[in-house]
């Protein structure tokens, strides 16, 4: 990072105190009351859920309430050459919202307005609203916003757009980008641009909306989103299947995914099942090698999809496979959603997000088992299996340096394995800071150089989220 971004601030008196740095007082004047956090108050904003040990200490946290305030913050940052890390709810799992020393964090937590138009079935929402709050707001209009990351109760819509989040029902209904019609984005120089808008079909110019979806805060700050909505989801039926081998489960998933469109097709291995059972005690089968949780919201009264899935399970001689009651189905779905926090009880988790095409799922599962055995570490395995997006969770013991080193080696080997299988290092969480070393190996030097040129064109000083996706220094 260039010298101009270094800061002289050495004193952070208190959250509400005055900073010794005149630049910080200048920033405070741009924001509405309580718009700035200083001193010890910045601590909760330094890291996302990945708990990046290399996260920096920001000089301040800015809490704008409007696009105009975000613009003022970016103009201030451009004037003084201060890096800005955008932040939603901080549930990210790739270090994409790690603070930068000498920079500021810009949190969208006070930008929470939403308006819903039943006529056009669209919503305009500010980025800080949580996914669950947004879902509830649209449900009150009899409508539905499908993207449902397992973290939907704690993550923001802005963070979802910036990472192009996936989730459980995305196997049938698509991921976040499939619902984004328009964005308002504040650029590095403080200009606000409107891209797309409330039109279902609109191909005027390059598709810049898609450029910003999944850009992890590196190209601009998303301040308003126009989202497409669907009619309320039809009633949903749930199947549970417990298998003797992980291969049996992967084969059943592959057969289902290439034949029908389930509304959920999730996977957990024995380690993950046991972690969830330790946490919730809901009667999961601790001995099964693998668990598949499937759903169908097909309106067909004959229930052909349900029958097809039960037959696909039965062909693999499962321990058991059955349709649940709605109550048990909801409990099992909750169990799948809390699998990450459940595994976190076993140690520090290095969370992978690798994806492969469905026919390679069994190879990935098997390869991860080999990596765990070779490195003598535990790797729990959960997956949005129906779209090939998996989460091997490498558990490390922070009190044992040798164990941590082996876990870290296994973390890299899983990404290399996914690339070798023609897959991706990240299916939905983003590259962030933690997966950046593997990016060029996946996408190639030419694609990375092209992306760097786009980054530099939009943010010549590399003020926006330096270190995420791209190297920290200017190209
Ligand atoms: C238990 C658990 C389960 C999870 N399950 C899933 C899952 O099923 N699917 C999934 O996709 N993810 C999942 N995640 C990861 C995480 O919740 C998502 O990546 C989510 O989209 C992040 O939202 P956030 O508001 O927390 O963003 P943050 O963590 O605050 O930020 C994420 C990234 O977006 C950028 N950003 C945030 N807001 C803006 C903005 N307004 N403008 C520009 N950039 C911005 C940040 O700089 C950062 O790079 C899970 C996380 C947890 C803890």
């Amino acid at each position: 990072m260039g010298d101009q971004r270094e800061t002289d601030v050495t004193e952070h008196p208190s959250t509400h105190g005055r900073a010794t740095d005149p630049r910080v007082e200048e920033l405070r004047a741009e924001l509405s009351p309580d718009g700035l956090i200083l001193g010890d108050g910045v601590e909760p904003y330094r890291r996302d859920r990945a708990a990046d040990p290399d996260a920096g200490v920001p000089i301040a946290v800015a809490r704008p309430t409007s696009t105009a305030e975000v613009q003022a913050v970016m103009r201030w940052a451009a004037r003084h050459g201060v890096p800005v890390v955008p932040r939603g709810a901080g549930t990210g799992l790739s270090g994409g919202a790690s603070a930068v020393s000498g920079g500021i964090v810009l949190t969208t937590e006070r930008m929470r307005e939403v308006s819903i138009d039943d006529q056009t079935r669209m919503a305009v929402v500010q980025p800080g609203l949580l996914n669950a709050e947004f879902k509830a707001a649209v449900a009150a209009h009899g409508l539905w916003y499908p993207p449902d990351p397992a973290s939907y109760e704690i993550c923001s819509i802005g963070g979802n757009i910036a990472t192009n989040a996936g989730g459980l029902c995305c196997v049938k209904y698509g991921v976040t980008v499939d619902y984004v019609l328009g964005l308002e984005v504040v650029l590095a120089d403080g200009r606000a641009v409107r891209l797309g808008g409330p039109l279902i079909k609109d191909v005027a110019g390059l598709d810049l909306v898609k450029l910003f979806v999944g850009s992890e805060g590196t190209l601009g700050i998303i301040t308003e989103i126009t989202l497409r909505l669907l009619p309320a989801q039809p009633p949903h039926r749930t199947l549970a299947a417990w298998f003797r081998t992980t291969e049996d489960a992967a084969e059943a998933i592959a057969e289902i995914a290439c034949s029908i469109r389930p509304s959920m097709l999730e996977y957990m291995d024995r380690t993950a099942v046991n972690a969830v059972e330790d946490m919730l005690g809901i009667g999961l089968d601790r001995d099964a090698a693998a668990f598949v949780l499937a759903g169908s919201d097909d309106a067909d009264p004959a229930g052909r999809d349900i029958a097809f899935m039960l037959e696909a399970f039965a062909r693999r001689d499962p321990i058991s496979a059955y349709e649940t009651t709605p109550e048990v189905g909801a409990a099992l779905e909750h169990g799948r959603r809390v699998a990450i926090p459940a595994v976190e009880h076993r140690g520090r988790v290095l969370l992978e997000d690798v994806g492969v095409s469905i026919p390679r799922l069994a190879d990935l599962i098997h390869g991860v088992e080999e990596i765990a055995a070779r490195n003598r570490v535990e790797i729990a395995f959960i997956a949005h299996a129906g779209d090939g997006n998996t989460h091997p969770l490498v558990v490390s013991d922070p009190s044992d340096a040798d164990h941590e080193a082996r876990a870290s080696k296994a973390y890299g080997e899983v990404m290399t394995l996914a690339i070798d299988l023609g897959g991706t290092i990240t299916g939905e969480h983003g590259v962030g800071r933690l997966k950046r070393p593997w990016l060029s190996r996946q996408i190639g030097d030419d694609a990375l150089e092209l992306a760097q040129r786009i980054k530099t064109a939009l943010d010549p000083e590399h003020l926006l989220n330096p270190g995420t996706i791209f190297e920290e220094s200017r190209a």
Side-chain angles (χ1 to χ4, degrees):
M1 196 181 302
D3 286 340
Q4 71 191 80
R5 292 184 213 161
E6 305 277 318
T7 177
D8 300 321
V9 173
T10 51
E11 190 185 341
H12 305 296
S14 79
T15 305
H16 300 291
R18 297 185 69 77
T20 52
D21 186 334
R23 295 174 307 172
V24 175
E25 286 312 313
E26 191 186 319
L27 175 60
R28 192 198 299 274
E30 303 283 6
L31 296 161
S32 42
D34 295 326
L36 213 55
I37 297 175
L38 303 175
D40 294 343
V42 305
E43 187 58 32
Y45 297 86
R46 287 182 57 208
R47 299 182 175 89
D48 60 19
R49 190 61 177 264
D52 176 3
D54 298 326
V57 183
I59 58 176
V61 175
R63 303 169 71 225
T65 56
S66 64
T67 301
E69 286 190 11
V70 174
Q71 290 184 270
V73 172
M74 284 314 304
R75 288 197 192 105
W76 170 89
R79 237 178 1 257
H80 297 291
V82 175
V84 177
V85 174
R87 180 184 175 97
T91 68
L93 292 165
S94 58
S98 298
V100 174
S101 288
I104 63 164
V105 171
L106 184 153
T107 170
T108 58
E109 65 193 8
R110 295 207 294 176
M111 300 180 69
R112 299 170 41 79
E113 281 172 22
V114 58
S115 67
I116 295 155
D117 183 345
D118 308 26
Q119 294 288 303
T120 56
R121 280 211 310 247
M122 285 174 206
V124 176
V125 57
Q126 284 190 315
L129 200 68
L130 299 185
N131 179 303
E133 294 171 327
F134 181 59
K135 277 181 184 295
V138 304
H141 289 248
L143 296 169
W144 182 38
Y145 174 67
D148 60 344
S151 52
Y152 78 110
E153 287 167 312
I154 51 173
C155 63
S156 75
I157 288 291
N160 293 171
I161 309 300
T163 55
N164 192 11
L168 278 68
C169 75
C170 296
V171 61
K172 177 167 183 178
Y173 290 98
V175 296
T176 301
V177 70
D178 299 311
Y179 295 85
V180 184
L181 294 172
L183 293 176
E184 180 184 63
V185 183
V186 173
L187 302 176
D189 61 7
R191 261 181 310 161
V193 288
R194 283 193 169 274
L195 308 169
L199 297 171
I200 293 168
K201 294 184 73 180
D202 178 5
V203 294
L206 296 182
D207 191 345
L208 297 179
V209 171
K210 284 204 172 129
L211 176 66
F212 281 90
V213 176
S215 62
E216 300 185 54
T218 62
L219 301 182
I221 297 175
I222 296 156
T223 51
E224 189 186 281
I225 306 123
T226 304
L227 291 165
R228 189 166 66 93
L229 305 171
L230 298 188
Q233 185 179 24
H236 173 93
R237 295 167 66 181
T238 306
L239 303 181
W242 304 88
F243 293 92
R244 296 170 209 283
T245 69
T246 54
E247 286 80 6
D248 289 342
E251 275 180 24
I253 287 163
E255 184 180 342
I256 292 167
C258 75
S259 310
I260 60 168
R261 295 188 70 199
S263 55
M264 174 171 65
L265 195 52
E266 297 287 316
Y267 171 96
M268 288 203 275
D269 76 352
R270 182 187 286 131
T271 309
V273 164
N274 275 276
V276 172
E277 185 60 11
D278 288 347
M279 186 172 163
L280 299 180
I282 52 173
L284 303 180
D285 183 345
R286 287 182 179 276
D287 298 324
F291 170 52
V292 174
L293 183 65
S296 171
D297 61 6
D298 200 280
D300 170 21
R304 270 173 287 227
D305 283 359
I306 292 285
F308 183 92
M309 290 194 278
L310 285 171
E311 282 161 24
F313 296 147
R315 272 192 280 282
R316 274 84 199 179
D317 186 26
I319 298 166
S320 61
Y322 49 91
E323 180 170 357
T324 71
T325 61
E327 295 72 32
V328 170
L332 292 174
E333 201 174 315
H334 176 65
R336 165 61 189 87
R337 286 186 191 280
V338 301
I340 292 173
V343 175
E344 282 172 343
H345 282 122
R346 298 170 89 90
R348 177 165 182 249
V349 169
L350 300 173
L351 201 142
E352 308 268 6
D353 178 29
V354 290
V356 288
S357 67
I358 306 287
R360 308 309 299 269
L361 189 60
D363 295 333
L364 181 68
I365 293 171
H366 183 61
V368 169
E369 285 166 357
E370 273 183 1
I371 290 170
R374 189 165 5 93
N375 290 288
R376 290 176 289 121
V377 292
E378 184 174 67
I379 306 184
F381 199 109
I382 60 176
H384 305 301
D387 44 29
N389 183 199
T390 76
H391 300 315
L393 310 169
V394 186
V395 183
S396 84
D397 176 358
S399 66
D400 177 345
D402 177 59
H403 193 269
E404 277 230 291
R406 282 184 275 119
S408 171
K409 183 162 161 283
Y411 178 74
E413 287 178 7
V414 169
M415 278 185 276
T416 303
L417 169 67
I419 295 168
D420 290 347
L421 290 172
T424 176
I425 58 172
T426 173
E428 60 181 16
H429 296 163
V431 174
R433 286 175 174 72
L434 305 184
K435 291 169 232 163
R436 198 186 63 212
W438 288 269
L439 181 60
S440 67
R441 174 145 186 207
Q442 182 192 326
I443 68 173
D445 290 341
D446 286 347
L448 186 57
E449 193 259 343
L450 183 59
Q452 268 159 349
R453 275 160 52 192
I454 292 170
K455 163 74 175 169
T456 302
L458 289 175
D459 178 15
E461 299 300 321
H462 282 212
L463 293 178
L464 281 164
N465 216 355
T468 285
I469 305 180
F470 306 100
E471 296 286 342
E472 208 155 316
S473 58
R474 271 169 270 175

